């Protein structure tokens, strides 16, 4: 076998392995969300996550990939491996949104939005950034560097979530008329922990696989550095949130610490291949801090987000993309202004189009469950079975 064939086989295997790690993020999101919602809504959350993976992946196969990249094709690896790797990303955009509207959003309208997101909205953003680039040569041409999707995936999903929350509103009783915020505790902390660590492990394929090749010494080193920096940012995010929670409240809230880790992971996703081994500590720490302050900020705006996705994915998607312009600017193809322009263009497109699509869907098939359905729990109303039928549920 010649060297070119060996390289082809290695990169094909690498893409499939990275894709498999990314698919571990499907149960990661499912377990994280299932643990953070009340027991009466767990089956509905699991159903939504299952539908997202199936529907988004098929929509991307049939329509989305062609919009993003044109025809199937790859010279460096099997074209099927290249497709599978890209397909693994698409559901994550809607997963970011689904957790933030859980406990009051119905399954079928979310599945309908998933078709549009997987088949059109996300592929257009990919086209502009990683794909065939229909904006090339125009003022809007994205000169943004975003290796694995701080903006392309995480901010896109975050803007869609913001649009959905504005349309669907907060959970019943979350913001009492007399003021303040009603705390709705997580139902299953072990599931939250399992989900967060599945996401963390999946991120190694998410970012490492985005390097694109592992068939040479240089590319292997780039993959290893990327995964190392990814992990470091997660560690830093977790530690800074743990320290803040202890010094501020004298308590160590595991859900906040885990979200701090995820915030650091989102923040590093734009450029983990560009940094030395120390910069991710700062980027991840700022990412964790953004999660802490973001949660209280969005509650003040009465934007109800049960899983903290706006803080983790939207704020840190923006921060991670801008961080590339701060720490890896080379004055040529990577500049702070180029990164900022990419954030703004994607923000306007993702938010406006998502809002319009969700508004139309909401008129046809209401996104929000009725008050009595929300009170009873979406497990019974949407799925016909409860995740914990032997539990005595408190409304």
């Amino acid at each position: 076998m010649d060297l070119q064939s060996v390289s082809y086989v290695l990169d094909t295997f690498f893409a499939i392995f990275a894709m498999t790690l990314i698919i571990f993020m499907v149960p990661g999101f499912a377990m994280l969300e299932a643990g953070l919602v009340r027991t009466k809504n767990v089956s509905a959350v699991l159903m939504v996550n299952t539908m997202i993976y199936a529907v988004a992946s098929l929509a991307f196969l049939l329509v989305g990939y062609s919009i993003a990249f044109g025809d199937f094709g790859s010279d460096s690896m099997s074209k099927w491996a290249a497709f599978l790797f890209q397909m693994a990303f698409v559901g994550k955009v809607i997963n970011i949104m689904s957790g933030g509207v859980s406990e009051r959003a119905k399954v079928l309208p979310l599945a309908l939005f998933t078709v549009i997101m997987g088949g059109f909205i996300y592929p257009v953003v990919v086209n502009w950034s990683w794909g065939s680039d229909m904006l090339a040569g125009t003022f809007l041409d994205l000169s943004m560097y975003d290796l694995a999707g701080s903006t392309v995936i995480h901010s896109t999903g975050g803007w869609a979530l913001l649009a959905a929350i504005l349309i669907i509103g907060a959970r019943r009783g979350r913001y009492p008329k007399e003021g303040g915020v009603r705390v709705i505790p997580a139902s299953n902390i072990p599931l939250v922990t399992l989900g967060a660590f599945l996401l963390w492990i999946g991120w190694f394929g998410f970012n490492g696989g985005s390097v694109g090749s592992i068939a040479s010494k240089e590319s292997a080193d780039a993959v290893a550095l990327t995964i190392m920096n990814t992990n470091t940012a997660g560690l830093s995010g977790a530690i800074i949130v743990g320290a803040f929670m202890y010094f501020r409240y004298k308590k160590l809230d595991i859900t906040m610490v885990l979200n701090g880790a995820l915030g650091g992971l989102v923040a590093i996703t734009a450029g983990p291949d560009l940094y030395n081994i120390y910069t991710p500590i700062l980027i991840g720490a700022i990412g964790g801090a953004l999660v802490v302050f973001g949660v209280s900020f969005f509650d003040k705006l009465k934007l109800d987000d049960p899983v903290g996705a706006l803080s983790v994915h939207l704020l840190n998607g923006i921060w991670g993309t801008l961080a590339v312009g701060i720490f890896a600017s080379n004055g040529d193809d990577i500049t702070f202004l180029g990164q900022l322009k990419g954030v703004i263009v994607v923000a306007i497109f993702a938010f406006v189009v998502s809002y319009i699509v969700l508004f139309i869907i909401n008129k046809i098939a209401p996104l929000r469950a009725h008050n009595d359905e929300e009170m009873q729990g979406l497990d019974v109303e949407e799925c016909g079975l409860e995740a914990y039928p032997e539990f005595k549920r408190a409304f």
Side-chain angles (χ1 to χ4, degrees), residues 178-316:
E178 60 271 19
V181 180
R182 178 194 168 205
V183 176
I184 301 177
S187 64
N188 193 320
I189 298 302
L191 279 188
V192 177
T193 307
L194 174 63
F197 275 97
L198 284 173
L199 289 170
W200 198 330
I201 293 167
W203 236 289
F204 301 149
F206 204 89
N207 290 359
S210 294
V211 174
S213 175
I214 202 171
S216 68
K217 180 181 181 300
E218 292 75 19
S219 59
D221 281 342
V223 170
L225 176 65
T226 295
I227 294 174
M228 179 177 178
N229 285 343
T230 298
N231 191 57
T232 298
L235 302 174
S236 180
I239 291 170
I240 199 71
V241 172
F244 178 88
M245 297 303 291
Y246 183 78
F247 287 113
R248 178 69 176 83
Y249 303 106
K250 301 303 180 188
K251 304 291 182 183
L252 291 169
D253 183 339
I254 183 62
T255 64
M256 286 298 295
V257 171
L258 291 170
N259 265 349
L262 297 179
L265 291 164
V266 172
I268 200 66
T269 292
D273 58 324
L274 302 178
Y275 306 127
N276 60 37
I277 63 173
Y278 305 107
T279 304
I281 299 174
L282 178 59
I283 292 174
I286 294 173
L290 284 173
V291 169
V292 173
F293 293 110
V295 168
S296 60
F297 171 73
F298 289 119
D299 269 335
K300 287 178 181 177
L301 296 178
K302 296 186 177 180
L303 296 172
D304 184 17
D305 176 7
V307 301
L310 288 173
S311 303
V312 171
H313 299 280
L314 178 56
L315 294 185
N316 275 299

Side-chain angles (χ1 to χ4, degrees), residues 10 12 15 22 25 46 62-63 97 109 111 124 143 158 165 192 213 216 248 250 261 263 279 335 337 348 358 370:
L10 285 174
T12 294
I22 298 169
M25 300 175 88
L46 298 177
L62 297 176
V63 180
M97 173 193 159
V124 167
S143 55
I165 292 175
V192 177
S213 175
S216 68
R248 178 69 176 83
K250 301 303 180 188
T279 304
T335 66
L337 288 179
I348 293 172
L358 287 165
H370 296 300

Side-chain angles (χ1 to χ4, degrees), residues 128 132-143 341:
W128 295 348
S132 49
D133 195 1
M134 67 178 74
L135 295 181
T138 71
F139 170 74
L140 294 176
D141 187 12
L142 300 188
S143 55
K341 184 175 80 169

